[in-house]
Amino acid sequence: MERIIECVPNFSEGRDLQKLEKILDVFRGRHNVKLLDYSSDEDHNRTVVTVVGETEALKVAMVEAIGKAVELIDLTKHEGQHPRMGAVDVVPFIPIKNVTVEEADALAKEVAKAASEAYGLPFFLYEKSASAPHRENLAAIRKGQFEGMAEKMKDEQWIPDFGPGTIHPTAGVTAIGARMPLVAYNVNLGTNNLEIASKIAKNVRFMNGGFRYVKALGIELEDRGIVQVSMNLTDYTKTSIYRVFETVKMEAERYGVNVVGSEIVGLVPLQALVDTADYYLRLENFNFNQVLETRL
Amino acid sequence: MERIIECVPNFSEGRDLQKLEKILDVFRGRHNVKLLDYSSDEDHNRTVVTVVGETEALKVAMVEAIGKAVELIDLTKHEGQHPRMGAVDVVPFIPIKNVTVEEADALAKEVAKAASEAYGLPFFLYEKSASAPHRENLAAIRKGQFEGMAEKMKDEQWIPDFGPGTIHPTAGVTAIGARMPLVAYNVNLGTNNLEIASKIAKNVRFMNGGFRYVKALGIELEDRGIVQVSMNLTDYTKTSIYRVFETVKMEAERYGVNVVGSEIVGLVPLQALVDTADYYLRLENFNFNQVLETRL
């Protein structure tokens, strides 16, 4: 596949594996679509699926999978610890390879349009696809959950972007949109003073005047006797890992504290590593395609 | 393909495209073998082929391609500017993905054994596969070229590792072995003083007491009015890019000269970039498989 978008739909079913298999089967054996991963949580009663594909193939598969979930999952009977508002709770599209965020946004809207017409399901556009600033954040959209959503949608601030003006009786409502890949990135400090990690977290995070695409918290790593600035980088192309690292290091110096290490949790796009090498080695004209593995 | 070895055979034919096509055809349409690139030079009368594959499939294809070259290329009639000693002049095997250099070495020996038995062609093991230190370097092995090789092989220092004790009458002799991927890496200095680049090159290269896997030269970039430390890193897993960069920077400081940039020419293995990010970000427990693209 030359052009790859990732989709990470969250389905509100984490217990009935037979139902789940029917949804997952939609992604299997398709040309230009690949089911990479899925992970169910019984307590949350929720399954997170990771699928990659080319635009058109992914669109067809996602519309079909949404249809299968609308058919099989009944939110009026759903219990689980994780907040949820729909049978398909949220459908993010993430540009991975040779695809822009604008193309991921267009795909999200096409899927929302097709699925709303086919199944009478309403959709809120969120994140990079949001139609207004107050609708960017998933938690803000989902507040009130399935049970409160019919009432919430009477407010003109919460008219869906696609589909009917009220919830689907059993499948609720779905958030859909483009977002950048998240990078979970933590910097470990050579101190057990949580206050220092918390102060630095405040300095670097968007909420308090820091970098636009950083969420951060100070936390304790009790077993190691140190503290950590625990972060989510929500757009590594605009707020680079190395810039965040160097800023945390600089802030830590203020307290005479060393950075003892950092960690990337889970997956990171190759481009983020290329950007890091590019900065520190002062690379001239280095191109992603020079990485040997991209040729294989 | 889960486990990938690269092979870059050099064939002593760069003019007769019909013969060349017959050799290239051996690599086409095979399962677990992919012809990535080939490049012919008429002056050199030589073609460099890049093919990747899984061990067993690559072995079968390479033995067959060597046979085709032995059949089609007659060194007694070969003219060209590039030194050469065989129809298949040199066959390096390079570990790329989930493969060790020991496995590449084993593959080189298997191919040499099978091809020597099938075609009566002698082989010298070179680089990481060499059977003695004086046989590691290709230029040393090839000295005397096709025309002088029958005489050279009478010396007990130059008895082939596989096949008959003398050259094949038309196909000569072939060097074969495992080597690491080369990284062509240059560091640009903010001065037009070539002497400084040359001194730094001496300090970092193996020949003069520098890093074991660095070859280096000082050169002028006349159009930019600066000089460059131009390097080949012959094993980036043991002599890291960042270590070379930081050392050049440190040596340049001695002359009050800044590093204005660096460049990677051609391909670089992903691991080399991971190692760079790992060093500068002080990463803990980062694993190659966390790079998203390796999952696709």
Side-chain angles (χ1 to χ4, degrees):
Chain A
M1 292 188 280
E2 281 310 295
R3 305 175 70 251
I4 297 179
I5 293 183
E6 184 182 55
C7 187
V8 189
N10 288 216
F11 297 97
S12 295
E13 177 58 69
R15 297 172 187 169
D16 186 332
L17 297 184
Q18 282 195 312
K19 285 185 182 174
L20 214 51
E21 277 303 304
K22 285 181 186 162
I23 295 169
L24 294 173
D25 272 344
V26 172
F27 299 113
R28 292 180 172 127
R30 278 179 190 267
H31 188 58
N32 284 339
V33 167
K34 192 178 170 197
L35 177 62
L36 279 192
D37 187 54
Y38 56 92
S39 143
S40 299
D41 188 310
E42 292 220 354
D43 294 333
H44 289 180
N45 197 5
R46 186 179 182 90
T47 297
V48 179
V49 175
T50 305
V51 58
V52 292
E54 295 221 1
T55 311
E56 194 54 33
L58 194 55
K59 176 187 163 183
V60 173
M62 269 315 304
V63 171
E64 199 174 309
I66 291 169
K68 193 56 81 176
V70 169
E71 175 195 330
L72 296 174
I73 301 173
D74 183 353
L75 264 278
T76 65
K77 295 170 184 160
H78 183 275
E79 287 181 349
Q81 285 171 12
H82 197 288
R84 77 287 177 272
M85 63 182 184
V88 192
D89 202 49
V90 55
V91 185
F93 289 94
I94 305 141
I96 299 294
K97 186 179 169 192
N98 297 328
V99 173
T100 63
V101 71
E102 288 75 19
E103 290 169 299
D105 171 56
L107 175 58
K109 287 168 180 162
E110 283 176 34
V111 169
K113 183 169 190 294
S116 63
E117 287 170 4
Y119 318 119
L121 182 70
F123 284 86
F124 287 116
L125 294 172
Y126 87 125
E127 283 277 347
K128 303 266 185 190
S129 300
S131 52
H134 71 282
R135 290 156 74 129
E136 284 176 13
N137 187 282
L138 178 62
I141 295 174
R142 196 162 52 196
K143 197 174 174 193
Q145 300 197 49
F146 173 73
E147 291 74 9
M149 209 49 69
E151 188 60 29
K152 179 174 181 174
M153 284 161 72
K154 290 177 184 165
D155 183 344
E156 65 177 14
Q157 293 285 299
W158 295 106
I159 296 169
D161 295 285
F162 290 93
T166 187
I167 64 165
H168 185 286
T170 56
V173 53
T174 298
I176 194 166
R179 67 163 170 82
M180 292 300 290
L182 285 184
V183 177
Y185 183 59
N186 306 324
V187 179
N188 297 330
L189 306 180
T191 174
N192 61 2
N193 188 335
L194 179 60
E195 204 183 330
I196 292 174
S198 299
K199 278 183 178 166
I200 294 174
K202 269 194 184 176
N203 291 334
V204 298
R205 72 188 175 201
F206 178 63
M207 198 169 67
N208 297 85
F211 293 113
R212 176 157 177 186
Y213 297 105
V214 174
K215 297 175 181 176
L217 270 181
I219 65 169
E220 268 185 288
L221 303 186
E222 284 184 35
D223 52 332
R224 293 178 61 182
I226 61 173
V227 296
Q228 178 180 81
V229 182
S230 175
M231 293 174 282
N232 268 319
L233 310 187
T234 57
D235 188 344
Y236 71 91
T237 65
K238 302 206 170 121
T239 301
S240 301
I241 295 180
Y242 68 81
R243 198 173 302 128
V244 172
F245 173 79
E246 291 293 337
T247 306
V248 170
K249 197 166 76 174
M250 184 190 74
E251 294 291 331
E253 276 167 14
R254 150 82 182 75
Y255 303 100
V257 166
N258 289 320
V259 165
V260 298
S262 81
E263 54 187 32
I264 294 170
V265 182
L267 297 182
V268 62
L270 173 55
Q271 187 63 52
L273 295 183
V274 169
D275 292 345
T276 300
D278 191 271
Y279 171 75
Y280 287 109
L281 300 177
R282 307 178 189 184
L283 290 177
E284 297 177 357
N285 303 316
F286 187 77
N287 185 304
F288 188 90
N289 294 320
Q290 288 178 253
V291 179
L292 194 148
E293 281 78 358
T294 64
R295 303 293 186 90
L296 301 180
Chain B
M1 292 187 280
E2 281 309 296
R3 304 175 69 250
I4 296 179
I5 293 183
E6 184 182 54
C7 187
V8 189
N10 287 215
F11 297 97
S12 295
E13 178 58 70
R15 296 170 189 170
D16 186 332
L17 297 185
Q18 283 195 310
K19 285 185 183 174
L20 213 52
E21 278 302 304
K22 286 181 186 161
I23 295 168
L24 293 173
D25 272 345
V26 172
F27 299 113
R28 291 180 173 127
R30 277 180 191 267
H31 187 58
N32 283 340
V33 169
K34 192 176 170 198
L35 176 63
L36 278 193
D37 188 53
Y38 56 93
S39 142
S40 299
D41 188 309
E42 293 220 355
D43 294 332
H44 289 180
N45 197 7
R46 187 181 182 89
T47 297
V48 179
V49 175
T50 305
V51 58
V52 291
E54 296 221 0
T55 311
E56 194 54 33
L58 194 55
K59 176 188 163 183
V60 173
M62 269 315 305
V63 172
E64 198 175 310
I66 290 169
K68 194 55 82 177
V70 169
E71 175 194 331
L72 296 174
I73 302 174
D74 183 352
L75 264 279
T76 66
K77 295 172 183 157
H78 184 273
E79 287 180 350
Q81 286 171 12
H82 197 288
R84 77 286 176 270
M85 61 182 186
V88 192
D89 203 49
V90 55
V91 185
F93 289 94
I94 303 140
I96 298 293
K97 185 179 168 192
N98 297 327
V99 174
T100 64
V101 72
E102 289 75 19
E103 290 170 299
D105 171 56
L107 176 59
K109 287 168 181 163
E110 283 176 33
V111 170
K113 184 168 189 295
S116 63
E117 288 171 2
Y119 317 120
L121 182 69
F123 284 86
F124 287 116
L125 294 172
Y126 87 125
E127 284 276 348
K128 303 266 186 190
S129 300
S131 51
H134 71 281
R135 291 156 75 129
E136 284 176 13
N137 186 282
L138 179 62
I141 295 174
R142 196 162 51 196
K143 198 176 175 193
Q145 298 196 49
F146 175 71
E147 291 75 8
M149 209 48 70
E151 188 60 29
K152 179 175 180 174
M153 284 162 70
K154 290 176 184 166
D155 183 343
E156 65 177 13
Q157 292 287 299
W158 296 106
I159 295 169
D161 294 286
F162 289 93
T166 187
I167 63 164
H168 185 286
T170 55
V173 53
T174 298
I176 194 166
R179 67 164 172 81
M180 292 299 290
L182 286 183
V183 177
Y185 182 60
N186 306 323
V187 179
N188 297 331
L189 306 180
T191 174
N192 61 2
N193 188 336
L194 179 58
E195 204 183 331
I196 293 174
S198 300
K199 279 184 178 165
I200 295 174
K202 270 195 183 176
N203 292 335
V204 298
R205 72 188 174 200
F206 177 63
M207 198 169 66
N208 297 85
F211 293 113
R212 176 158 179 185
Y213 297 104
V214 174
K215 297 175 180 176
L217 271 182
I219 65 170
E220 268 185 286
L221 302 186
E222 284 183 35
D223 53 331
R224 293 176 61 181
I226 61 172
V227 297
Q228 178 180 81
V229 182
S230 175
M231 294 174 281
N232 267 320
L233 310 187
T234 57
D235 187 345
Y236 71 90
T237 64
K238 301 207 170 119
T239 301
S240 301
I241 295 179
Y242 68 82
R243 198 174 301 128
V244 172
F245 173 79
E246 289 294 336
T247 305
V248 170
K249 197 166 76 174
M250 183 189 75
E251 295 291 331
E253 277 168 12
R254 150 82 182 73
Y255 303 100
V257 167
N258 288 321
V259 165
V260 298
S262 80
E263 54 187 32
I264 293 169
V265 182
L267 297 182
V268 62
L270 173 55
Q271 187 63 52
L273 296 182
V274 169
D275 292 345
T276 300
D278 190 272
Y279 171 73
Y280 287 109
L281 299 178
R282 308 180 188 182
L283 290 176
E284 297 177 357
N285 303 317
F286 187 76
N287 185 303
F288 188 91
N289 294 320
Q290 288 178 254
V291 179
L292 193 147
E293 280 78 358
T294 64
R295 303 293 186 91
L296 301 179

